[in-house]
Structures are given as structure tokens and as C-alpha cells.
Amino acid sequence: VFWQNKNRQLRRYEILENIFDETAKEGGITIHDFGCGYGALFQYLSRRPVMANSRYIGTDMCLSMIKAAKDRPLDPRATFIHDVVAREVTDYTIVSGTFNLHINADPDAWRKHVQASLIQLWLHTRRGLAFNMLSRDTERKYEGLYYAEPNVFMSFARKNLSPDSEITLDPILPDFTIFVRRP
């Protein structure tokens, strides 16, 4: 699903895991994966301590992705929902690659849509929100993908979500990750 390769996909998951504080890494939390696709993030997290006594909710707007996620081996810790917004408050929300595919929408309108989505997700998040996006600074760009200005989204997060926000850039990846935490 538009990941350049498996190693880069896994690297993104490793970075996104940094949203979990030390207590959360021991499990007993709820995680919302917004734009979960076929459930790859759950498969990654399912073998990690963070999922001990935890619950995962994957939401995706694409019904075929939700069906593919449900076709994987059943795990009672995971629920997959066909929707376009968060419906339940969870401890953590993770958004990996969800806002990259904009098909040719007006870039300014897409930015506003992404920001409205982040506000809605934050209202349904108790402890921390992590999201990544393709960086406008990357050299290689593909048609139909949205490349965001990292500083614009960092400023947005600090102003509209939480002053306790930080950005991570990885030299291997063409994107940035923003972590937003409740003070």
C-alpha cells in the first residue's frame, strides 16, 4: 500500500513506538490506528510488550482494507472498523502514512482537511498522538501524494493540540514524525 519497501515501513513503526511512555510500553493501554489499512501496524505491535493486556482499534475509510485486516488470523486484542473519524477515546492514536495520499486534491484544502482530522483525533486521545507525513523537502516526489511542510505541522501541533509536541526526522526516510503528548 504505497510503502516503498518493507524496511522503511518497519522503520516508521519503530519511530512511531516512541509515542509510548515507559508505563505504556508495559501494556494495559488502548491504541487507535487511524488509517490502519490491512492491519500491518497491529501485526508489528502484536508481538511487543506494549500489547500485553492492551486493546487495538484500527480504523480505515477503505472497506476492502478493513476486510483484508479481518481476514488475517483472529486476535481478540484487535478490532477493525470501517469509518473516517475516531469514535472512541483511546490512550494513544497513531497515524502512519494516512495523510500522504491525496489523489490530486488542492494542497491547501488537503492541509486544512488533515489539520481538522488531527484536531478530531486529538479530542479522542488521552495520552499521546503520533503521526507521520511525507516531507516537502524530499527530493523524489510522486504524483498523487501530499508532501507537507514539517514546520507548518509542528507549529500547528503546538498551537492547536499541545505545547508538548516534538518532531523527529530520520535521514533514511522521506518523511517526518510529530509526537503530541498531554502535558
Side-chain angles (χ1 to χ4, degrees), residues 4-86:
Q4 192 171 35
N5 62 53
K6 188 74 167 172
N7 289 337
R8 286 187 173 198
Q9 181 182 14
L10 293 175
R11 179 66 189 132
R12 284 178 178 91
Y13 294 165
E14 290 169 359
I15 292 168
L16 289 164
E17 273 187 294
N18 290 319
I19 191 60
F20 303 128
D21 62 26
E22 291 306 312
T23 304
K25 288 178 183 176
E26 297 172 10
I29 60 171
T30 53
I31 301 166
H32 180 209
D33 179 6
F34 183 72
C36 67
Y38 58 90
L41 177 61
F42 176 71
Q43 294 302 312
Y44 172 82
L45 292 174
S46 70
R47 298 176 296 277
R48 303 184 100 58
V50 71
M51 282 306 300
N53 300 309
S54 291
R55 195 164 62 88
Y56 166 98
I57 301 161
T59 303
D60 204 284
M61 68 183 289
C62 181
L63 186 56
S64 62
M65 287 293 181
I66 293 299
K67 286 180 180 177
K70 289 180 176 180
D71 285 344
R72 290 176 167 238
L74 182 64
D75 188 315
R77 299 172 296 175
T79 303
F80 295 97
I81 300 167
H82 176 235
D83 212 331
V84 295
V85 294

